[in-house]
Amino acid sequence: MHDARTVRAPSMLRLSAASLAGTAIEFYDFFVYGTAAALVLGPLFFPTFSPVAGTLAAFATFGVGFIARPLGSVLFGHIGDRRGRRPVLIASLLLTGASTVAVGCVPTYDTIGMAAPLLLLLLRFLQGLGLGGEWGGAVLLTVEHAPEGRRGLWSSFPQVGPALGFLLANGVVLGLSATLSEAQFAAWGWRVPFWAAGVLAVVGLWLRSSLTESPRFLEIDEPARVPLAEVARGHWRLVLLTAGALSIGYAIFYTVTTWSLAYATEQLGVSRGVMLTCIMGAVVVKGSLTPVVAILGDRYGRRPLCLIGCTASALWMFPLVALLATGEPLLMFLGFLGAMLSFITMFAVIAAYLPELYEPRVRCTGAAVGYNLGGVLGGALTPIVATALVEQGGRVPWGVGAYLTGVALLSLGCFALLPETRPVSSSAAEPATG
C-alpha cells in the first residue's frame, strides 16, 4: 500500500493554477486547429474540392482528433490508474504540444500532394490522443486533493482552461488577421499559432514539474491490473450514460466556436474578425462564470444543474440558429451567449461529478473515457453534420437547430438516469454497475 501520509499536499491554489494552465495550453493546441480548419485548411490541403467539400474535408480531419480522444483516455487512463495521475499530466502535454508544432510545419497540397492531408490527419490524431489523457489527469489531481465540500469549486479551475485556451488561440488568429493580408495569412500566417504551442508547452511543463501525486491514488492498496477491463465489466452502463449526457455540451461548444465561424464567413459574408469577436465575447462570459456555477454545484448538487442546463439547451437551439442567420453582430453574440450559459450550467460541475461516479481504482480510465466519448458524439460529428444540413436548407439553418435540439434531449434523458453524488466522499464513492 502507498503511504499517503508521507506526501505533503500542495496548496489548492497552486495546484489548481497548474492544472488550469495545463488544460488551457492543451486546449489552445486543440482549438487552434479548429479555427484553422474553419478558415484556411480546406483550400490549402484539399484544393481539388469545391469550397463546401473542402470545408467538410477539413472538418473531417478536425473530427479525427475527437475519435482519438477516447483512445487517449484509455492509454493515459491506464497509466493514471496504474502509476498515478501526475505522470499523465506530463506525458499528455508533451504529446499534444509536439504534434501541434508539427502541424505548423506540414507542407501544403501544392508542395507534397496527398501526403499533406495524410500528415495532417496523423498529427491531428496525435493531438487528440494527448488531449484524451489531459482532462482525466488534470481534473483528478485537483478533485482528489480538494476538501470534500469544495470539490466542485476547485475542480472548476481546470474547466476554465478550455475557455482560456480558446481565447488565446482565437486571439492570436484575430491579431494575425488584423495585421496580415489574406494572402500572407494563407501563405504562412496560419502556421504561427501552431508554432507558438511549443513555447506554451515548455511553460506548462515547468508549472507542472513540482506537483505531488494525488492522495486518493496513494491510498489505493492494489491498483487495477487492467483498468479498461474493469470499467467495461462493471461500469459500461455508466460510461455510456455519461457519454450521452455530455454530448450536448460538446455539440453546443463546437457549433458556436467552429461551425458557426465557417458558416457565417462562407455563407453570410460576415468578416472573420467580427465572428471571432462575437464568439470570444460569449466564451469570456462562460469562462468567468464557471467557478460561480461550480459553487452552486457544491451547495445544491451536480445533477440538478446538469438537468437545468440540458433543458435550457433544448429550448435555445432554434433561437440560436435564427440569431446566427441574421449576420448581425449583436444578435449573433446574444445567440452565442445563451448557448454558452446553457453549456456552462452543465460543464462547470462535470469535473467534480464524473470522478465522483467512479471508484478510485478505475476513476482515471472511467471518467476520462466517458468524457471523451461524449466528445465524439457531440464534438466530432456536429461541425460535419451542421455543414451538410446547411446545404439542404435555406438561409436560416433550421435543420441544424433540430439536430442540436435532438442531441439536447438525448443528453437530458441520460442525465435523468444518472445518480446524484454530492456529498459522497471522493475516496469512498460506490461504483455504479451496469
Side-chain angles (χ1 to χ4, degrees):
M1 175 179 179
H2 301 282
D3 187 359
R5 294 172 298 179
T6 63
V7 177
R8 185 180 174 211
S11 73
M12 287 307 303
L13 186 60
R14 180 166 61 86
L15 175 65
S16 298
S19 295
L20 185 155
T23 53
I25 291 166
E26 292 219 30
F27 275 93
Y28 165 88
D29 296 349
F30 204 71
F31 291 148
V32 79
Y33 189 100
T35 304
L39 297 176
V40 296
L41 295 188
L44 291 177
F45 288 87
F46 305 95
T48 60
F49 292 21
S50 69
V52 172
T55 300
L56 280 170
F59 279 149
T61 63
F62 173 74
V64 165
F66 285 96
I67 295 170
R69 283 174 65 170
L71 299 176
S73 64
V74 171
L75 171 63
F76 289 105
H78 183 90
I79 296 171
D81 286 326
R82 290 286 300 165
R83 304 297 179 188
R85 322 309 192 198
R86 186 176 176 275
V88 171
L89 296 183
I90 305 300
S92 63
L93 187 56
L94 276 171
L95 178 59
T96 307
S99 56
T100 303
V101 172
V103 169
C105 300
V106 176
T108 62
Y109 183 93
D110 288 342
T111 304
I112 59 173
M114 277 303 298
L118 291 176
L119 281 172
L120 206 62
L121 201 66
L122 172 62
L123 292 171
R124 180 59 174 174
F125 180 86
L126 294 176
Q127 262 193 333
L129 206 66
L131 192 61
E134 162 64 26
W135 186 86
V139 164
L140 287 193
L141 202 64
T142 307
V143 168
E144 294 182 338
H145 273 101
E148 182 180 321
R150 288 291 181 266
R151 285 202 301 269
L153 171 62
W154 290 114
S155 66
S156 72
F157 285 92
Q159 291 296 82
V160 178
L164 291 179
F166 175 83
L167 292 172
L168 184 59
N170 285 272
V172 171
V173 173
L174 189 60
L176 290 168
S177 297
T179 55
L180 301 177
S181 67
E182 289 288 335
Q184 289 173 321
F185 186 82
W188 57 268
W190 68 271
R191 298 181 183 275
V192 174
F194 292 95
W195 294 336
V199 177
L200 295 174
V202 171
V203 173
L205 290 170
W206 174 75
L207 287 170
R208 289 181 165 185
S209 62
S210 61
L211 297 181
T212 59
E213 186 52 77
S214 156
R216 296 286 80 79
F217 174 77
L218 295 170
E219 290 171 356
I220 298 172
D221 289 311
E222 186 180 349
R225 292 187 62 188
V226 185
L228 180 62
E230 290 196 23
V231 169
R233 183 170 59 250
H235 303 268
W236 63 269
R237 181 175 180 271
L238 181 57
V239 169
L240 293 179
L241 284 175
T242 53
L246 298 180
S247 59
I248 184 56
Y250 281 102
I252 288 174
F253 193 86
Y254 288 100
T255 292
V256 171
T257 62
T258 301
W259 170 76
S260 68
L261 182 59
Y263 168 73
T265 55
E266 294 174 5
Q267 304 289 329
L268 305 180
V270 181
S271 75
R272 180 190 306 155
V274 167
M275 282 304 298
L276 288 174
T277 302
C278 291
I279 295 168
M280 289 169 66
V283 173
V284 166
V285 176
K286 171 251 182 189
S288 301
L289 290 179
T290 298
V292 177
V293 179
I295 292 172
L296 296 177
D298 279 330
R299 182 166 185 178
Y300 299 109
R302 330 294 190 205
R303 184 171 171 270
L305 289 177
C306 292
L307 294 172
I308 291 170
C310 274
T311 302
S313 299
L315 295 174
W316 190 249
M317 294 302 96
F318 281 108
L320 168 64
V321 298
L323 291 167
L324 173 61
T326 66
E328 294 293 327
L330 179 59
L331 294 179
M332 291 191 298
F333 168 74
L334 290 176
F336 298 154
L337 180 61
M340 283 297 169
L341 292 175
S342 301
F343 166 85
I344 204 55
T345 304
M346 298 174 281
F347 269 56
V349 299
I350 285 301
Y353 191 26
L354 259 64
E356 289 170 340
L357 290 168
Y358 293 87
E359 59 181 315
R361 59 186 274 118
V362 296
R363 183 174 286 161
C364 196
T365 299
V369 169
Y371 185 83
N372 287 296
L373 279 177
V376 175
L377 295 174
L381 293 178
T382 294
I384 298 171
V385 172
T387 300
L389 287 173
V390 167
E391 286 299 292
Q392 308 302 319
R395 178 179 174 85
V396 180
W398 297 119
V400 177
Y403 168 75
L404 294 172
T405 301
V407 176
L409 293 174
L410 168 67
S411 293
L412 182 64
C414 291
F415 272 123
L417 295 173
L418 288 170
E420 178 58 89
T421 57
R422 188 192 63 91
V424 174
S425 168
S426 67
S427 61
E430 291 296 325
T433 59

